[in-house]
Coordinates of all heavy atoms in Angstrom, one line a residue:
M1 N 19.5 -12.0 21.4 CA 19.2 -10.7 20.8 C 17.7 -10.7 20.5 O 17.2 -11.6 19.9 CB 20.0 -10.4 19.6 CG 19.7 -9.0 19.0 SD 20.6 -8.8 17.4 CE 21.7 -7.4 17.9
T2 N 17.0 -9.6 20.9 CA 15.6 -9.4 20.5 C 15.4 -8.1 19.9 O 16.2 -7.1 20.1 CB 14.7 -9.5 21.8 OG1 15.1 -8.5 22.7 CG2 14.9 -10.9 22.5
A3 N 14.3 -8.0 19.2 CA 13.9 -6.7 18.5 C 12.5 -6.5 18.7 O 11.7 -7.5 18.7 CB 14.3 -6.7 17.1
T4 N 12.1 -5.2 18.9 CA 10.7 -4.9 19.0 C 10.4 -4.1 17.9 O 11.0 -3.1 17.5 CB 10.5 -4.1 20.3 OG1 10.9 -4.8 21.5 CG2 9.1 -3.7 20.5
L5 N 9.3 -4.5 17.2 CA 8.9 -3.8 16.0 C 7.8 -2.8 16.4 O 6.8 -3.2 17.1 CB 8.3 -4.7 15.0 CG 9.2 -5.8 14.4 CD1 8.5 -6.8 13.5 CD2 10.4 -5.2 13.8
A6 N 7.9 -1.6 15.9 CA 7.0 -0.6 16.2 C 6.0 -0.3 15.0 O 6.5 -0.5 13.9 CB 7.7 0.7 16.6
A7 N 4.9 0.1 15.3 CA 3.9 0.5 14.2 C 4.5 1.7 13.5 O 5.2 2.5 14.2 CB 2.6 0.7 14.7
P8 N 4.2 1.8 12.2 CA 4.7 3.0 11.5 C 4.0 4.3 12.1 O 2.9 4.2 12.7 CB 4.2 2.9 10.1 CG 3.3 1.6 10.0 CD 3.5 0.9 11.3
P9 N 4.7 5.4 12.0 CA 4.1 6.7 12.5 C 2.8 6.9 11.9 O 2.5 6.5 10.8 CB 5.1 7.7 12.1 CG 6.4 7.1 11.8 CD 5.9 5.7 11.4
V10 N 1.9 7.6 12.6 CA 0.5 7.8 12.2 C 0.5 8.5 10.8 O -0.4 8.1 9.9 CB -0.3 8.6 13.2 CG1 -1.7 9.0 12.7 CG2 -0.4 7.9 14.5
H11 N 1.3 9.4 10.5 CA 1.3 10.2 9.3 C 1.7 9.3 8.1 O 1.4 9.6 7.0 CB 2.2 11.4 9.3 CG 3.7 11.1 9.4 ND1 4.4 10.7 10.5 CD2 4.6 11.1 8.4 CE1 5.6 10.4 10.2 NE2 5.8 10.7 8.9
M12 N 2.3 8.1 8.3 CA 2.7 7.2 7.2 C 1.6 6.1 7.0 O 1.6 5.5 6.0 CB 4.0 6.6 7.5 CG 5.2 7.6 7.4 SD 6.7 6.8 7.6 CE 6.8 5.8 6.2
R13 N 0.8 5.8 8.0 CA -0.1 4.7 7.9 C -1.1 4.9 6.7 O -1.3 3.9 6.1 CB -0.9 4.5 9.2 CG 0.0 4.1 10.3 CD -0.7 3.9 11.6 NE 0.2 3.8 12.7 CZ -0.1 3.9 13.9 NH1 -1.4 4.0 14.3 NH2 0.8 3.9 14.9
A14 N -1.6 6.0 6.6 CA -2.7 6.1 5.5 C -2.0 6.3 4.2 O -2.6 6.0 3.1 CB -3.6 7.3 5.9
S15 N -0.8 6.9 4.1 CA -0.3 7.2 2.8 C 0.6 6.2 2.2 O 0.9 6.2 1.0 CB 0.6 8.5 3.0 OG 1.6 8.3 3.8
T16 N 1.0 5.1 3.0 CA 1.9 4.1 2.4 C 1.0 2.9 2.1 O 0.4 2.2 2.8 CB 2.9 3.6 3.5 OG1 3.6 4.8 4.0 CG2 3.8 2.6 3.0
P17 N 1.0 2.5 0.7 CA 0.2 1.4 0.3 C 0.8 0.1 0.7 O 2.0 -0.1 0.9 CB 0.2 1.5 -1.2 CG 1.4 2.3 -1.5 CD 1.7 3.2 -0.3
T18 N -0.1 -0.9 0.9 CA 0.4 -2.3 1.2 C 0.9 -2.9 0.0 O 0.5 -2.5 -1.1 CB -0.8 -3.0 1.9 OG1 -1.8 -3.2 0.9 CG2 -1.3 -2.4 3.1
L19 N 1.6 -4.0 0.1 CA 2.0 -4.9 -1.0 C 0.8 -5.3 -1.7 O 0.8 -5.4 -3.0 CB 2.9 -6.0 -0.5 CG 3.5 -6.9 -1.6 CD1 4.2 -6.2 -2.6 CD2 4.2 -8.1 -0.9
E20 N -0.2 -5.8 -1.0 CA -1.4 -6.2 -1.7 C -2.0 -5.2 -2.6 O -2.4 -5.4 -3.7 CB -2.5 -6.7 -0.6 CG -3.8 -7.1 -1.3 CD -4.7 -7.5 -0.2 OE1 -4.6 -7.3 1.0 OE2 -5.8 -8.1 -0.6
T21 N -2.0 -3.9 -2.1 CA -2.6 -2.8 -2.9 C -1.7 -2.6 -4.2 O -2.3 -2.4 -5.3 CB -2.7 -1.6 -2.1 OG1 -3.6 -1.8 -1.0 CG2 -3.3 -0.4 -2.9
L22 N -0.4 -2.6 -4.0 CA 0.5 -2.4 -5.1 C 0.4 -3.5 -6.2 O 0.2 -3.1 -7.3 CB 1.9 -2.3 -4.7 CG 2.3 -1.1 -3.8 CD1 3.7 -1.3 -3.2 CD2 2.2 0.1 -4.6
V23 N 0.3 -4.7 -5.8 CA 0.1 -5.8 -6.8 C -1.2 -5.8 -7.4 O -1.3 -6.0 -8.6 CB 0.4 -7.1 -6.1 CG1 0.1 -8.4 -6.9 CG2 1.9 -7.2 -5.5
T24 N -2.3 -5.6 -6.6 CA -3.6 -5.5 -7.2 C -3.7 -4.4 -8.2 O -4.3 -4.7 -9.3 CB -4.6 -5.4 -6.1 OG1 -4.6 -6.5 -5.2 CG2 -6.1 -5.3 -6.6
E25 N -3.3 -3.3 -7.9 CA -3.4 -2.1 -8.9 C -2.6 -2.4 -10.1 O -3.0 -2.2 -11.2 CB -2.9 -0.9 -8.2 CG -3.8 -0.3 -7.2 CD -3.3 0.9 -6.5 OE1 -2.2 1.4 -6.7 OE2 -4.0 1.5 -5.6
A26 N -1.4 -3.0 -10.0 CA -0.5 -3.4 -11.2 C -1.3 -4.4 -12.0 O -1.4 -4.3 -13.2 CB 0.8 -3.8 -10.8
W27 N -1.8 -5.4 -11.4 CA -2.6 -6.5 -12.1 C -3.8 -5.9 -12.8 O -4.0 -6.2 -14.0 CB -3.0 -7.6 -11.1 CG -3.7 -8.7 -11.9 CD1 -5.1 -8.9 -12.0 CD2 -3.2 -9.6 -12.8 NE1 -5.4 -9.8 -12.8 CE2 -4.2 -10.4 -13.3 CE3 -1.9 -9.9 -13.2 CZ2 -4.0 -11.4 -14.2 CZ3 -1.7 -11.0 -14.1 CH2 -2.8 -11.7 -14.6
D28 N -4.5 -5.2 -12.2 CA -5.7 -4.5 -12.8 C -5.4 -3.7 -13.9 O -6.1 -3.8 -15.0 CB -6.5 -3.8 -11.8 CG -7.2 -4.6 -10.7 OD1 -7.3 -5.8 -10.9 OD2 -7.6 -4.0 -9.7
T29 N -4.3 -3.0 -13.9 CA -3.9 -2.2 -15.0 C -3.4 -3.0 -16.2 O -3.7 -2.8 -17.3 CB -2.8 -1.1 -14.5 OG1 -3.4 -0.3 -13.5 CG2 -2.4 -0.2 -15.7
V30 N -2.5 -4.0 -15.9 CA -1.9 -4.8 -16.9 C -3.1 -5.6 -17.6 O -3.1 -5.8 -18.8 CB -0.8 -5.7 -16.3 CG1 -0.4 -6.7 -17.2 CG2 0.4 -4.8 -16.0
A31 N -4.0 -6.2 -16.7 CA -5.1 -6.9 -17.3 C -6.0 -6.2 -18.2 O -6.6 -6.7 -19.1 CB -5.9 -7.5 -16.2
A32 N -6.0 -4.8 -18.1 CA -6.7 -4.0 -19.0 C -6.0 -3.7 -20.2 O -6.5 -3.0 -21.1 CB -7.1 -2.7 -18.3
G33 N -4.7 -4.2 -20.3 CA -3.9 -4.0 -21.6 C -3.0 -2.7 -21.5 O -2.5 -2.4 -22.6
A34 N -2.9 -2.1 -20.4 CA -2.1 -0.8 -20.3 C -0.9 -1.2 -19.4 O -0.8 -2.1 -18.7 CB -2.9 0.2 -19.6
A35 N 0.1 -0.3 -19.6 CA 1.4 -0.4 -18.8 C 1.1 0.1 -17.4 O 0.3 1.0 -17.2 CB 2.4 0.5 -19.4
A36 N 1.7 -0.6 -16.4 CA 1.5 -0.2 -15.0 C 2.9 0.0 -14.4 O 3.9 -0.2 -15.0 CB 0.8 -1.5 -14.3
D37 N 2.8 0.6 -13.2 CA 4.0 0.8 -12.4 C 4.3 -0.5 -11.7 O 3.5 -1.1 -11.1 CB 3.9 1.8 -11.4 CG 3.7 3.2 -11.9 OD1 4.2 3.5 -13.1 OD2 3.1 4.1 -11.2
C38 N 5.6 -1.0 -11.9 CA 6.1 -2.2 -11.2 C 5.9 -2.1 -9.7 O 6.4 -1.0 -9.2 CB 7.5 -2.5 -11.6 SG 8.2 -4.0 -10.8
P39 N 5.3 -3.0 -9.0 CA 5.2 -3.0 -7.6 C 6.6 -3.2 -6.8 O 6.7 -2.9 -5.7 CB 4.2 -4.1 -7.2 CG 4.3 -5.1 -8.3 CD 4.7 -4.2 -9.5
V40 N 7.6 -3.6 -7.6 CA 8.9 -3.8 -6.9 C 9.8 -2.5 -7.1 O 10.4 -2.0 -6.1 CB 9.6 -5.0 -7.5 CG1 11.0 -5.2 -6.9 CG2 8.8 -6.2 -7.2
C41 N 9.9 -2.0 -8.4 CA 10.9 -1.0 -8.6 C 10.3 0.3 -9.2 O 10.9 1.3 -9.4 CB 12.0 -1.5 -9.6 SG 11.4 -1.7 -11.3
A42 N 9.0 0.3 -9.4 CA 8.2 1.4 -10.0 C 8.5 1.6 -11.6 O 8.1 2.6 -12.1 CB 8.4 2.7 -9.2
G43 N 9.3 0.7 -12.2 CA 9.5 0.8 -13.5 C 8.3 0.4 -14.4 O 7.3 0.1 -13.8
P44 N 8.4 0.6 -15.7 CA 7.2 0.2 -16.6 C 7.0 -1.3 -16.7 O 7.9 -2.0 -17.1 CB 7.6 0.8 -17.9 CG 9.0 0.9 -17.9 CD 9.5 1.1 -16.6
M45 N 5.8 -1.7 -16.3 CA 5.4 -3.1 -16.4 C 4.4 -3.2 -17.6 O 3.4 -2.6 -17.6 CB 4.8 -3.6 -15.2 CG 4.3 -5.1 -15.3 SD 3.8 -5.8 -13.7 CE 5.4 -6.2 -13.0
Q46 N 4.9 -3.9 -18.6 CA 4.1 -4.1 -19.8 C 3.2 -5.4 -19.8 O 3.7 -6.4 -19.3 CB 5.0 -4.2 -21.1 CG 5.8 -2.9 -21.3 CD 5.0 -1.7 -21.6 OE1 3.9 -1.8 -22.1 NE2 5.5 -0.5 -21.2
P47 N 2.0 -5.3 -20.4 CA 1.2 -6.5 -20.4 C 1.9 -7.6 -21.3 O 2.6 -7.3 -22.3 CB -0.1 -6.1 -21.1 CG 0.0 -4.7 -21.4 CD 1.4 -4.2 -21.0
R48 N 1.7 -8.9 -20.9 CA 2.1 -10.0 -21.7 C 0.9 -10.6 -22.3 O 0.0 -11.0 -21.7 CB 2.9 -11.0 -20.8 CG 4.3 -10.5 -20.4 CD 5.0 -11.5 -19.5 NE 5.1 -12.7 -20.2 CZ 5.0 -13.9 -19.6 NH1 4.7 -14.0 -18.4 NH2 5.2 -15.0 -20.4
W49 N 0.9 -10.8 -23.6 CA -0.3 -11.3 -24.4 C -0.1 -12.8 -24.8 O 1.0 -13.2 -25.0 CB -0.5 -10.5 -25.6 CG -0.8 -9.0 -25.3 CD1 0.1 -8.0 -25.1 CD2 -2.0 -8.4 -25.1 NE1 -0.4 -6.8 -24.8 CE2 -1.8 -7.0 -24.8 CE3 -3.3 -8.8 -25.2 CZ2 -2.8 -6.1 -24.6 CZ3 -4.3 -7.9 -24.9 CH2 -4.1 -6.6 -24.7
S50 N -1.2 -13.5 -24.8 CA -1.2 -14.8 -25.3 C -2.0 -14.9 -26.5 O -3.0 -14.2 -26.6 CB -1.8 -15.8 -24.2 OG -1.9 -17.0 -24.8
A51 N -1.7 -15.7 -27.5 CA -2.5 -15.9 -28.7 C -3.9 -16.4 -28.3 O -4.1 -17.5 -27.8 CB -1.8 -16.9 -29.6
G52 N -4.8 -15.6 -28.5 CA -6.2 -15.9 -28.3 C -6.7 -15.8 -26.8 O -7.9 -15.7 -26.6
A53 N -5.8 -15.7 -25.9 CA -6.2 -15.7 -24.5 C -6.2 -14.3 -23.9 O -6.6 -14.1 -22.8 CB -5.4 -16.6 -23.6
G54 N -5.7 -13.3 -24.7 CA -5.7 -11.9 -24.1 C -4.5 -11.8 -23.3 O -3.4 -12.5 -23.4
V55 N -4.5 -10.9 -22.3 CA -3.5 -10.6 -21.4 C -3.3 -11.8 -20.4 O -4.3 -12.2 -19.8 CB -3.6 -9.3 -20.6 CG1 -2.5 -9.1 -19.6 CG2 -3.7 -8.2 -21.6
V56 N -2.1 -12.3 -20.3 CA -1.9 -13.4 -19.3 C -0.9 -13.0 -18.2 O -0.6 -13.8 -17.3 CB -1.3 -14.6 -20.1 CG1 -2.3 -15.2 -21.0 CG2 0.0 -14.3 -20.8
G57 N -0.4 -11.8 -18.2 CA 0.4 -11.3 -17.0 C 1.1 -10.0 -17.5 O 0.7 -9.4 -18.5
G58 N 2.2 -9.8 -16.8 CA 3.0 -8.5 -17.1 C 4.4 -8.7 -16.7 O 4.8 -9.6 -16.0
R59 N 5.3 -8.0 -17.4 CA 6.7 -8.1 -17.1 C 7.3 -6.7 -17.1 O 7.1 -5.9 -17.9 CB 7.5 -8.9 -18.2 CG 9.0 -8.9 -17.9 CD 9.7 -9.8 -19.0 NE 9.3 -11.2 -18.9 CZ 9.8 -12.1 -18.2 NH1 10.8 -11.8 -17.3 NH2 9.4 -13.3 -18.2
C60 N 8.1 -6.4 -16.0 CA 8.7 -5.1 -15.8 C 9.9 -5.0 -16.8 O 10.8 -5.9 -16.8 CB 9.2 -5.0 -14.4 SG 10.0 -3.3 -14.1
E61 N 10.0 -3.9 -17.4 CA 11.1 -3.6 -18.3 C 12.4 -3.3 -17.7 O 13.5 -3.6 -18.3 CB 10.8 -2.5 -19.3 CG 9.6 -2.7 -20.3 CD 9.3 -1.6 -21.2 OE1 9.8 -0.5 -20.9 OE2 8.5 -1.8 -22.1
D62 N 12.3 -2.9 -16.5 CA 13.6 -2.5 -15.7 C 14.1 -3.6 -14.9 O 15.3 -3.9 -15.0 CB 13.3 -1.3 -14.8 CG 13.1 0.0 -15.5 OD1 13.4 0.0 -16.8 OD2 12.6 0.9 -15.0
C63 N 13.3 -4.3 -14.1 CA 13.9 -5.3 -13.1 C 13.5 -6.7 -13.5 O 14.0 -7.7 -12.9 CB 13.5 -4.9 -11.7 SG 11.7 -5.3 -11.4
G64 N 12.6 -7.0 -14.4 CA 12.2 -8.3 -14.9 C 11.1 -8.9 -14.0 O 10.8 -10.1 -14.3
T65 N 10.6 -8.2 -13.0 CA 9.5 -8.8 -12.2 C 8.4 -9.2 -13.2 O 8.0 -8.5 -14.1 CB 9.0 -7.8 -11.2 OG1 10.1 -7.6 -10.3 CG2 7.9 -8.3 -10.4
T66 N 7.7 -10.4 -12.8 CA 6.5 -10.8 -13.6 C 5.3 -10.9 -12.7 O 5.4 -11.3 -11.6 CB 6.8 -12.1 -14.4 OG1 7.1 -13.1 -13.5 CG2 7.9 -12.0 -15.4
L67 N 4.2 -10.7 -13.3 CA 2.9 -11.0 -12.7 C 2.2 -12.0 -13.6 O 2.2 -11.7 -14.8 CB 2.1 -9.7 -12.6 CG 2.5 -8.7 -11.5 CD1 1.5 -7.5 -11.6 CD2 2.4 -9.2 -10.2
E68 N 1.7 -13.0 -13.1 CA 1.1 -14.0 -13.9 C -0.2 -14.5 -13.2 O -0.3 -14.5 -12.0 CB 1.9 -15.2 -14.1 CG 3.2 -14.8 -14.9 CD 4.1 -16.0 -15.2 OE1 3.9 -17.1 -14.6 OE2 5.1 -15.9 -15.9

């Protein structure tokens, strides 16, 4: 069995963010100390703080995904 993958339609190419973009935006927002949209489920991702080190990552309140 074989499958041929087609490129997404032109109207979706510019409007659909890549995984890299989603993760980078979430990281930048969490690193600034604000809640971000989870790149997996779009739930609220809260910053995780360390004593003295500032923000060390984030954790989604809905699905548990973490960024470190």
Side-chain angles (χ1 to χ4, degrees):
M1 177 185 245
T2 61
T4 302
L5 300 176
V10 174
H11 70 279
M12 291 182 67
R13 291 181 196 168
S15 63
T16 305
T18 64
L19 178 59
E20 179 181 9
T21 300
L22 292 172
V23 171
T24 299
E25 288 176 358
W27 178 258
D28 289 346
T29 303
V30 168
D37 291 335
C38 174
V40 175
C41 75
M45 179 171 279
Q46 299 295 331
R48 293 179 55 222
W49 299 85
S50 171
V55 177
V56 294
R59 178 179 297 272
C60 178
E61 294 179 351
D62 290 346
C63 71
T65 294
T66 60
L67 291 177
E68 297 179 349

